[in-house]
Amino acid sequence: MSSESLIKMANQIAQFFASEPDNAQAVRSVRQHLQSFWTPAMRRELAAWQTTHPGAALHPLVQAALTEGEGQT
């Protein structure tokens, strides 16, 4: 799957959870969704993309979920 597709899907997930008033819970929800519904390869590819393009194009909730979830891909 292309990085662009993964970024788009991850950002859509984050937008869904962005309405959660508790930011920490929103980050946990994004991370849980990625863990539950994405393959390890998809998570690794997105994390690798974030490492080479820090902050670019990814919703802040996705960035936080990937950062807090390091080592769990």
Side-chain angles (χ1 to χ4, degrees):
M1 183 170 282
S2 74
S3 294
E4 292 82 18
S5 295
L6 293 175
I7 292 162
K8 181 180 177 182
M9 290 189 307
N11 285 340
Q12 288 173 333
I13 294 163
Q15 288 171 344
F16 175 80
F17 289 113
S19 63
E20 168 63 52
D22 181 350
N23 190 64
Q25 180 59 49
V27 171
R28 285 191 298 272
S29 296
V30 171
R31 187 174 59 246
Q32 182 60 48
H33 184 92
L34 296 176
Q35 287 290 322
S36 296
F37 300 107
W38 284 35
T39 66
M42 291 167 70
R43 294 191 306 267
R44 280 192 302 272
E45 184 174 338
L46 187 63
W49 190 90
Q50 182 190 26
T51 301
T52 58
H53 303 85
L58 282 176
H59 190 286
L61 290 176
V62 178
Q63 293 176 34
L66 290 174
T67 301
E68 291 182 16
E70 286 178 354
Q72 299 179 20
T73 58

